[in-house]
Amino acid sequence: MKKIPSFTAVIAAISLLLSAPPTLAAKSNELSLIENYMSADQLDRKTQKLLNDEIVKLVGKQNIQFIKIDTSFDPWVINGTIDGTGFADFTQRYDPDTNHVASTLIMYDTADLNKVMDNALHLKLDAFLKTFEDEDIFIKSGFWRFKANDQDHGHLLQNYWVIFGPSQQLYIDVDKDNQMSAILQYKIDDSYAWMTNIARNSLKTLGIPSVKAFDYTLFTVEGKDMLWQYRDDDNLNYVHIGSKTGKVWKVTNELGINWKNDVDFKKSFAKPKLSKNKALSIAVPTVRSIFGIELKGYSVRIQENEYTFTKKGATTLIGKINTKGAFYSFEAIPSKGVRN
């Protein structure tokens, strides 16, 4: 399969986090740029030590040089270089009011991966990469080390490595014993035709009148889960399919959402919109057609607009309805916890 030119969701998110808001950028001129930048020697020793110590925690003692401090951001953005086991650029976000380092991002060249990453982790990475089939080879073109010290900026992970290539990302969660996950993106035309048909038919079977065409598909690996995720650019429709079994695990069409706001949602689902029996009767044909699962013997639990269908030792189904009582989403949770 041919990969599309680029896919860097989290990388883009971090870049956005570190970039100037459009209003600031539009107002910037040569004078304001000069006023908003500080040189490294303008940082007091206590602050420099704080920033330096955060980097040392991640890379050990190396030659760390602070180059530029941009005070137009809140927190400030501080850039510099690291030279030692490998050369890298780094960016730190620092709040001078609280004397707090919000995050540290270190950007390496792929050639230094063997130098920077310890042998045990490198061996674990090599073993993980063998997960991919020959046609889904992970191509490394760069890697970053990232550590956030706060919970306020929506980071996917707080402490991790990210290795990226053309339309590919691999994450190593340091806080979870270096747990690895990966995402590879493809154009729809470069995806398996039979699986694309399953995704489209599943979305159609869901029954929401309006649909949006899929724009791309993701091959994702996390733990023992290996899924193909069909999505559109607005992330309104998505279908998850096991890469080995071809089983559908999730179908969602958010075009079926019809409440106006949070207040309307709470009002609409303050009481069960569907009785347990009614929910079962509506769900049975859809679940049978999409997932190949019979709901005979299943019980139903209701929480707001979410209906959970369970049976001991069997796959759990979670469905979500809109204010008209139509299911716009179903997700299957396997009893043994593996989706493939």
Side-chain angles (χ1 to χ4, degrees):
M1 293 184 182
K2 297 178 181 178
K3 298 176 179 63
I4 65 175
S6 65
F7 177 69
T8 51
V10 172
I11 292 172
I14 295 174
S15 300
L16 180 62
L17 187 64
L18 299 177
S19 63
T23 52
L24 279 177
K27 293 179 181 178
S28 293
N29 53 41
E30 188 173 345
L31 178 61
S32 65
L33 284 173
I34 294 173
E35 292 176 345
N36 289 336
Y37 283 117
M38 293 170 52
S39 62
D41 56 13
Q42 290 177 277
L43 285 174
D44 61 74
R45 290 186 178 181
K46 185 177 179 181
T47 301
Q48 283 199 36
K49 184 179 186 306
L50 178 67
L51 294 165
N52 189 87
D53 288 348
E54 284 296 318
I55 297 174
V56 170
K57 290 177 185 177
L58 300 178
V59 303
K61 292 185 178 180
Q62 298 187 45
N63 181 19
I64 300 169
Q65 183 177 0
F66 298 98
I67 296 175
K68 183 175 65 178
I69 299 94
D70 189 342
T71 61
S72 64
F73 297 100
D74 183 17
W76 292 356
V77 174
I78 300 172
N79 295 300
T81 61
I82 302 170
D83 196 1
T85 54
F87 182 83
D89 295 307
F90 71 80
T91 297
Q92 290 179 290
R93 296 172 59 256
Y94 168 72
D95 187 341
D97 296 328
T98 60
N99 194 34
H100 172 70
V101 181
S103 65
T104 299
L105 172 65
I106 303 171
M107 297 159 280
Y108 292 98
D109 185 81
T110 309
D112 290 329
L113 182 62
N114 293 344
K115 301 176 184 177
V116 174
M117 188 173 287
D118 68 73
N119 189 56
L121 181 54
H122 198 275
L123 289 174
K124 186 173 182 178
L125 173 61
D126 286 343
F128 180 76
L129 290 175
K130 291 179 181 178
T131 301
F132 301 99
E133 299 176 3
D134 292 341
E135 62 193 71
D136 297 316
I137 295 173
F138 196 96
I139 302 170
K140 300 184 287 291
S141 58
F143 69 104
W144 293 356
R145 181 73 171 87
F146 182 78
K147 176 71 166 63
N149 296 323
D150 55 43
Q151 302 284 337
D152 300 329
H153 297 283
H155 303 299
L156 180 65
L157 304 174
Q158 292 293 117
N159 183 17
Y160 63 96
W161 296 85
V162 56
I163 301 170
F164 52 91
S167 310
Q168 305 168 335
Q169 297 165 50
L170 188 156
Y171 304 100
I172 303 174
D173 191 340
V174 177
D175 290 335
K176 292 186 177 179
D177 194 29
N178 292 325
Q179 179 178 306
M180 299 184 186
S181 58
I183 303 172
L184 286 71
Q185 182 175 348
Y186 298 89
K187 292 180 179 179
I188 290 296
D189 290 344
D190 293 329
S191 302
Y192 295 115
W194 64 270
M195 195 174 291
T196 301
N197 287 335
I198 290 176
R200 289 170 175 163
N201 289 336
S202 297
L203 191 63
K204 183 178 179 181
T205 302
L206 191 59
I208 300 300
S210 299
V211 297
K212 195 172 187 302
F214 296 119
D215 292 301
Y216 62 91
T217 182
L218 306 177
F219 176 56
T220 64
V221 180
E222 183 172 1
K224 294 183 178 181
D225 281 2
M226 298 177 68
L227 300 172
W228 287 94
Q229 301 185 18
Y230 283 80
R231 300 188 182 186
D232 60 85
D233 287 335
D234 297 316
N235 205 27
L236 294 172
N237 301 323
Y238 35 100
V239 178
H240 297 179
I241 302 173
S243 67
K244 292 183 179 180
T245 62
K247 289 183 178 180
V248 176
W249 293 104
K250 187 173 184 177
V251 183
T252 296
N253 184 352
E254 293 190 359
L255 290 170
I257 294 175
N258 62 348
W259 53 86
K260 298 176 182 178
N261 48 42
D262 289 343
V263 173
D264 187 27
F265 175 86
K266 291 179 180 179
K267 181 180 178 181
S268 299
F269 301 107
K271 296 180 180 180
K273 182 68 62 174
L274 302 175
S275 67
K276 293 181 179 181
N277 288 337
K278 184 64 175 177
L280 271 169
S281 67
I282 294 175
V284 163
T286 304
V287 169
R288 179 191 297 124
S289 180
I290 295 175
F291 301 97
I293 296 173
E294 297 291 343
L295 291 179
K296 185 177 181 179
Y298 273 73
S299 60
V300 185
R301 185 175 70 251
I302 305 170
Q303 184 175 5
E304 296 181 323
N305 77 323
E306 188 171 285
Y307 287 70
T308 302
F309 305 86
T310 59
K311 181 180 178 181
K312 187 176 181 180
T315 299
T316 294
L317 275 300
I318 300 173
K320 294 182 179 180
I321 64 171
N322 59 23
T323 60
K324 294 182 179 180
F327 283 96
Y328 67 87
S329 175
F330 275 108
E331 180 174 8
I333 310 297
S335 58
K336 295 183 180 179
V338 177
R339 297 172 297 173
N340 212 311

